[in-house]
Amino acid sequence: SQELEQSPQSLIVQEGKNLTINCTSSKTLYGLYWYKQKYGEGLIFLMMLQKGGEEKSHEKITAKLDEKKQQSSLHITASQPSHAGIYLCGAELPSGTYKYIFGTGTRLKVLA
Amino acid sequence: DTAVSQTPKYLVTQMGNDKSIKCEQNLGHDTMYWYKQDSKKFLKIMFSYNNKELIINETVPNRFSPKSPDKAHLNLHINSLELGDSAVYFCASSQGTGYQETQYFGPGTRLLVL
């Protein structure tokens, strides 16, 4: 079973609309990463969250890590076609194990 | 300048062949990784090296063998390729190994085994 669940699996929105992608773990996370993969291209690091309640923004993308550090949400405001791609969350399992896990990915399409 | 580069970008080969994928980072990082992304876009870590020493070795077939000649390079050699090896392989690097370290990914190598 997946240790990091993302929802939704796919999302189609009209340009200009806001959207949210969620990443949920059954365990406490020790660092939560968000990546974007453009179709057919490599992964792009978006941001990293460490502390419970932390929130970070990058251009029109905002990510939050809840207080219990078991869920993170990625919010895109006024989506644009350039936001299209696959969004992946990733995290490290208990500190010191050096084991990283990734979510199942969310495929985003933005209609112009 | 490209931070993490991989070669080749595309690789099409026959079952049973042996192939290598190369990865180089010019970020001065100590840690490098290999990930496999399957057809469902799930990313799974395969190996990690820190200062040329293997620190993560997930359950992958023995046909896969990483080699790190120096800190800036981590190559992946695959013997006796199988159809199920078809995937996109991503290389990444980070300064250290802790959770606070940001990983930087290469563009990926798309492997197709026929």
Side-chain angles (χ1 to χ4, degrees), chain B residues 21-50:
Chain B
I21 306 172
K22 295 184 177 181
C23 178
E24 177 181 1
Q25 54 94 3
N26 62 6
L27 297 167
H29 287 167
D30 291 336
T31 309
M32 296 184 73
Y33 312 80
W34 274 111
Y35 292 88
K36 179 182 179 182
Q37 184 186 46
D38 63 21
S39 58
K40 296 183 179 179
K41 303 301 181 183
F42 178 57
L43 204 64
K44 183 177 180 180
I45 192 166
M46 300 173 69
F47 302 103
S48 178
Y49 272 73
N50 179 255

Coordinates of all heavy atoms in Angstrom, one line a residue, chain B residues 21-50:
Chain B
I21 N 23.4 4.0 -17.8 CA 22.9 5.4 -17.8 C 23.8 6.2 -16.9 O 24.2 5.7 -15.8 CB 21.5 5.5 -17.2 CG1 20.5 4.5 -18.0 CG2 21.0 6.9 -17.4 CD1 19.1 4.4 -17.3
K22 N 24.2 7.3 -17.4 CA 25.2 8.1 -16.7 C 24.5 9.3 -16.1 O 23.6 9.9 -16.6 CB 26.3 8.6 -17.6 CG 27.2 7.4 -18.1 CD 28.3 7.9 -18.9 CE 29.2 6.7 -19.3 NZ 30.4 7.1 -20.1
C23 N 25.0 9.7 -14.9 CA 24.5 10.9 -14.2 C 25.7 11.7 -13.7 O 26.6 11.2 -13.1 CB 23.6 10.5 -13.1 SG 22.9 12.0 -12.2
E24 N 25.6 13.0 -13.9 CA 26.6 13.9 -13.4 C 26.0 15.1 -12.8 O 25.0 15.7 -13.3 CB 27.5 14.4 -14.5 CG 28.6 15.4 -14.1 CD 29.5 15.8 -15.2 OE1 29.3 15.3 -16.4 OE2 30.4 16.6 -15.0
Q25 N 26.5 15.6 -11.6 CA 26.0 16.8 -11.0 C 27.2 17.8 -10.8 O 28.2 17.3 -10.4 CB 25.2 16.5 -9.7 CG 26.0 15.7 -8.7 CD 26.7 16.5 -7.6 OE1 26.6 17.7 -7.6 NE2 27.4 15.8 -6.7
N26 N 26.9 19.0 -11.0 CA 28.0 20.1 -10.9 C 27.6 21.0 -9.7 O 28.0 22.2 -9.7 CB 28.2 20.8 -12.2 CG 26.9 21.6 -12.6 OD1 25.9 21.6 -11.9 ND2 27.0 22.1 -13.8
L27 N 26.8 20.5 -8.8 CA 26.4 21.3 -7.6 C 27.3 21.2 -6.4 O 27.1 21.8 -5.4 CB 25.0 20.9 -7.2 CG 23.9 21.2 -8.3 CD1 22.6 20.5 -8.0 CD2 23.7 22.6 -8.5
G28 N 28.3 20.3 -6.5 CA 29.2 20.0 -5.4 C 28.5 19.2 -4.3 O 29.0 19.3 -3.1
H29 N 27.4 18.5 -4.6 CA 26.7 17.8 -3.6 C 27.4 16.5 -3.2 O 28.2 15.9 -4.0 CB 25.3 17.4 -4.1 CG 24.4 18.6 -4.2 ND1 23.2 18.6 -4.8 CD2 24.5 19.8 -3.6 CE1 22.6 19.8 -4.7 NE2 23.4 20.5 -3.9
D30 N 27.1 16.0 -2.0 CA 27.7 14.8 -1.5 C 26.9 13.5 -1.8 O 27.4 12.4 -1.8 CB 28.0 14.9 0.0 CG 29.0 15.9 0.4 OD1 29.9 16.2 -0.5 OD2 29.0 16.4 1.5
T31 N 25.6 13.7 -2.0 CA 24.7 12.6 -2.1 C 24.0 12.6 -3.5 O 23.6 13.6 -4.0 CB 23.6 12.7 -1.0 OG1 24.3 12.8 0.2 CG2 22.8 11.4 -1.0
M32 N 24.0 11.4 -4.1 CA 23.3 11.2 -5.3 C 22.3 10.0 -5.3 O 22.5 9.1 -4.4 CB 24.3 11.0 -6.5 CG 25.2 12.2 -6.7 SD 26.3 12.1 -8.1 CE 25.1 12.2 -9.5
Y33 N 21.3 10.0 -6.1 CA 20.2 9.0 -6.0 C 19.9 8.6 -7.4 O 20.0 9.3 -8.4 CB 19.0 9.6 -5.4 CG 19.2 10.4 -4.1 CD1 19.6 11.7 -4.2 CD2 18.9 9.8 -2.9 CE1 19.8 12.5 -3.0 CE2 19.0 10.6 -1.7 CZ 19.5 11.9 -1.8 OH 19.6 12.6 -0.6
W34 N 19.3 7.3 -7.5 CA 18.6 6.9 -8.7 C 17.2 6.5 -8.3 O 17.0 5.8 -7.3 CB 19.3 5.6 -9.3 CG 20.4 6.0 -10.2 CD1 21.8 5.8 -10.0 CD2 20.3 6.6 -11.5 NE1 22.5 6.2 -11.1 CE2 21.6 6.7 -12.0 CE3 19.2 7.1 -12.3 CZ2 21.9 7.3 -13.3 CZ3 19.5 7.6 -13.5 CH2 20.8 7.7 -14.0
Y35 N 16.3 7.0 -9.1 CA 14.9 6.7 -8.9 C 14.3 6.1 -10.2 O 14.8 6.4 -11.3 CB 14.0 8.0 -8.7 CG 14.3 8.6 -7.4 CD1 15.3 9.6 -7.3 CD2 13.5 8.4 -6.3 CE1 15.5 10.2 -6.1 CE2 13.7 9.0 -5.1 CZ 14.7 9.9 -5.0 OH 15.0 10.5 -3.8
K36 N 13.3 5.2 -10.0 CA 12.6 4.7 -11.2 C 11.2 5.2 -11.2 O 10.5 5.1 -10.1 CB 12.6 3.1 -11.2 CG 11.9 2.5 -12.3 CD 12.0 1.0 -12.2 CE 11.2 0.3 -13.4 NZ 11.2 -1.2 -13.3
Q37 N 10.7 5.7 -12.3 CA 9.3 6.1 -12.4 C 8.6 5.2 -13.3 O 8.9 5.0 -14.5 CB 9.2 7.5 -12.9 CG 7.8 8.1 -13.0 CD 7.7 9.4 -13.6 OE1 8.3 9.6 -14.7 NE2 7.0 10.4 -13.0
D38 N 7.6 4.5 -12.8 CA 6.9 3.5 -13.6 C 5.8 4.1 -14.5 O 5.6 5.3 -14.4 CB 6.4 2.4 -12.7 CG 5.3 2.9 -11.7 OD1 4.7 3.9 -12.0 OD2 5.1 2.2 -10.7
S39 N 5.1 3.3 -15.2 CA 4.1 3.8 -16.1 C 3.0 4.6 -15.4 O 2.3 5.4 -16.0 CB 3.6 2.7 -17.0 OG 3.0 1.7 -16.1
K40 N 2.8 4.3 -14.2 CA 1.8 5.0 -13.4 C 2.3 6.2 -12.8 O 1.6 6.8 -11.9 CB 1.2 4.0 -12.4 CG 0.4 2.9 -13.0 CD -0.2 2.0 -11.9 CE -0.9 0.8 -12.5 NZ -1.5 -0.1 -11.5
K41 N 3.5 6.6 -13.1 CA 4.1 7.8 -12.6 C 4.5 7.8 -11.2 O 4.8 8.8 -10.5 CB 3.2 9.1 -12.8 CG 2.8 9.3 -14.3 CD 4.0 9.5 -15.2 CE 3.6 9.7 -16.6 NZ 4.8 9.8 -17.5
F42 N 4.5 6.5 -10.6 CA 5.0 6.4 -9.2 C 6.5 6.4 -9.2 O 7.1 5.6 -9.9 CB 4.4 5.1 -8.6 CG 4.9 4.9 -7.2 CD1 4.7 5.8 -6.2 CD2 5.6 3.7 -6.9 CE1 5.2 5.6 -4.9 CE2 6.0 3.5 -5.6 CZ 5.8 4.4 -4.6
L43 N 7.1 7.2 -8.3 CA 8.5 7.4 -8.3 C 9.1 6.5 -7.1 O 8.6 6.7 -6.0 CB 8.9 8.8 -8.0 CG 10.2 9.3 -8.5 CD1 10.4 9.2 -10.0 CD2 10.4 10.7 -8.0
K44 N 10.0 5.6 -7.4 CA 10.5 4.8 -6.4 C 12.1 4.9 -6.3 O 12.7 4.8 -7.3 CB 10.1 3.3 -6.7 CG 10.6 2.3 -5.6 CD 10.1 1.0 -6.0 CE 10.5 -0.1 -4.9 NZ 10.0 -1.4 -5.2
I45 N 12.6 5.1 -5.1 CA 14.0 5.2 -5.0 C 14.7 3.8 -5.2 O 14.1 2.8 -4.7 CB 14.4 5.8 -3.6 CG1 15.9 6.2 -3.6 CG2 14.1 4.9 -2.5 CD1 16.3 7.1 -2.5
M46 N 15.8 3.8 -5.8 CA 16.5 2.6 -6.0 C 17.8 2.5 -5.2 O 18.1 1.6 -4.5 CB 16.9 2.4 -7.5 CG 15.7 2.4 -8.4 SD 16.1 2.4 -10.2 CE 16.9 0.8 -10.4
F47 N 18.6 3.6 -5.4 CA 19.9 3.6 -4.7 C 20.2 5.0 -4.3 O 19.7 6.0 -4.9 CB 21.1 3.2 -5.7 CG 20.9 1.8 -6.2 CD1 20.5 1.6 -7.6 CD2 21.2 0.7 -5.5 CE1 20.3 0.4 -8.1 CE2 21.1 -0.6 -6.0 CZ 20.6 -0.7 -7.3
S48 N 21.1 5.1 -3.3 CA 21.7 6.4 -2.9 C 23.1 6.2 -2.5 O 23.4 5.3 -1.8 CB 20.8 7.0 -1.8 OG 21.4 8.3 -1.4
Y49 N 23.9 7.2 -2.9 CA 25.3 7.2 -2.6 C 25.7 8.5 -1.8 O 25.2 9.6 -2.2 CB 26.2 7.1 -3.8 CG 26.5 5.7 -4.2 CD1 25.6 4.9 -4.8 CD2 27.8 5.1 -4.1 CE1 25.8 3.6 -5.2 CE2 28.1 3.8 -4.5 CZ 27.1 3.1 -5.0 OH 27.4 1.8 -5.4
N50 N 26.5 8.4 -0.8 CA 26.9 9.5 -0.1 C 28.5 9.5 -0.1 O 29.0 8.5 0.5 CB 26.4 9.6 1.3 CG 26.9 10.8 2.1 OD1 27.8 10.7 2.9 ND2 26.4 12.0 1.7

